[in-house]
Amino acid sequence: MVRKVRRLLAAAAGTVVAIACSLALVGTTPAQAAPKPKLAPAGVDITGDRLDQPLQLRADTRPAEVNMVVDQVKWLGATGQQRGPAAEDLGPKYTIVLFVAGTASKTYDLYPLAKGGPRVYRPARQPDLSKTRAGWFFGRLNMSETLRTVGVPLERQFDTISGGIGGGERVIPEEALDPVEDIDAALGELQRLLLLNVGVMVVITAGLAGIALLVRRRTR
């Protein structure tokens, strides 16, 4: 009798455990099978001088252009200069807004034609509400050409090439590459050097002649 009761209790316990496991599987399977939502592509919006509407670049359609613009600001340090150039020296302003997962994340003001080289201003107030210190930074020297390439209405610049962080390599101004002017300048310098050498030789020769004449008179 006791054995029969134990068997019935064991069977009942097994049934309860099996039902509990089944309910757990039923409750978790739909959540595990649910597809993860896709994130919106990263992108950049550009507004500013002579742009009637924002220039919208998205990584799914124009990844190269997005990377080019992001490359202009991704290297900025934690702190920058507290004071920038005078307003009249900044030139046209272009504001870029970086998007992550379809939401505005960061914003920067770019001045590609500022006197003394391109500048970047990072406002303290950012779209993602992150704590950022406002500051001015020297920009890459290819900033103007980069913005022009992605669609910003800027005149073509011939004095820059792509470069590294905080600038690049500035090419010698076009007027300094005139070979005729360079040759004339070199010949002029050579002529002045030769005249100087001749003058020195004349002075030395005259001095030696004077000393020789003086010595000759004294020895007579």
Side-chain angles (χ1 to χ4, degrees):
M1 184 65 180
V2 175
R3 292 181 178 179
K4 290 183 179 181
V5 173
R6 289 180 178 177
R7 290 177 182 176
L8 290 175
L9 290 175
T15 303
V16 171
V17 172
I19 294 173
C21 291
S22 299
L23 292 175
L25 290 175
V26 171
T28 57
T29 300
Q32 294 175 352
K36 295 181 180 180
K38 294 183 178 180
L39 298 177
V44 178
D45 281 4
I46 304 176
T47 57
D49 186 61
R50 296 168 58 192
L51 283 172
D52 297 331
Q53 57 185 356
L55 179 61
Q56 298 180 334
L57 309 174
R58 294 298 178 264
D60 58 342
T61 56
R62 303 175 67 179
E65 287 87 345
V66 171
N67 290 333
M68 289 171 62
V69 176
V70 173
D71 186 62
Q72 295 294 318
V73 296
K74 69 179 183 180
W75 57 270
L76 299 182
T79 59
Q81 298 177 350
Q82 295 304 301
R83 298 185 62 181
E88 60 270 18
D89 295 334
L90 287 173
K93 169 186 172 181
Y94 297 95
T95 299
I96 66 172
V97 180
L98 308 185
F99 286 82
V100 177
T103 304
S105 175
K106 302 293 182 183
T107 184
Y108 304 89
D109 295 331
L110 272 57
Y111 300 89
L113 302 182
K115 291 184 179 180
R119 296 296 182 95
V120 178
Y121 176 71
R122 182 180 60 199
R125 188 174 182 179
Q126 293 292 318
D128 61 358
L129 304 180
S130 61
K131 294 183 179 180
T132 304
R133 187 174 181 180
W136 289 88
F137 302 85
F138 284 99
R140 294 187 185 276
L141 294 180
N142 63 353
M143 181 188 295
S144 177
E145 281 300 287
T146 295
L147 294 178
R148 187 189 67 82
T149 300
V150 302
V152 174
L154 285 168
E155 297 295 330
R156 185 177 181 86
Q157 302 293 312
F158 296 96
D159 64 338
T160 59
I161 60 177
S162 60
I165 292 177
E169 299 179 24
R170 184 173 295 277
V171 179
I172 299 174
E174 187 175 359
E175 60 270 14
L177 298 178
D178 186 355
V180 175
E181 183 178 353
D182 290 344
I183 293 174
D184 291 341
L187 291 177
E189 291 294 333
L190 180 60
Q191 184 177 8
R192 284 192 291 271
L193 181 60
L194 290 175
L195 290 176
L196 179 61
N197 289 336
V198 170
V200 172
M201 292 299 296
V202 169
V203 172
I204 293 175
T205 302
L208 292 176
I211 294 172
L213 182 60
L214 181 61
V215 171
R216 185 176 181 182
R217 288 180 179 178
R218 288 185 178 181
T219 55
R220 285 183 179 179

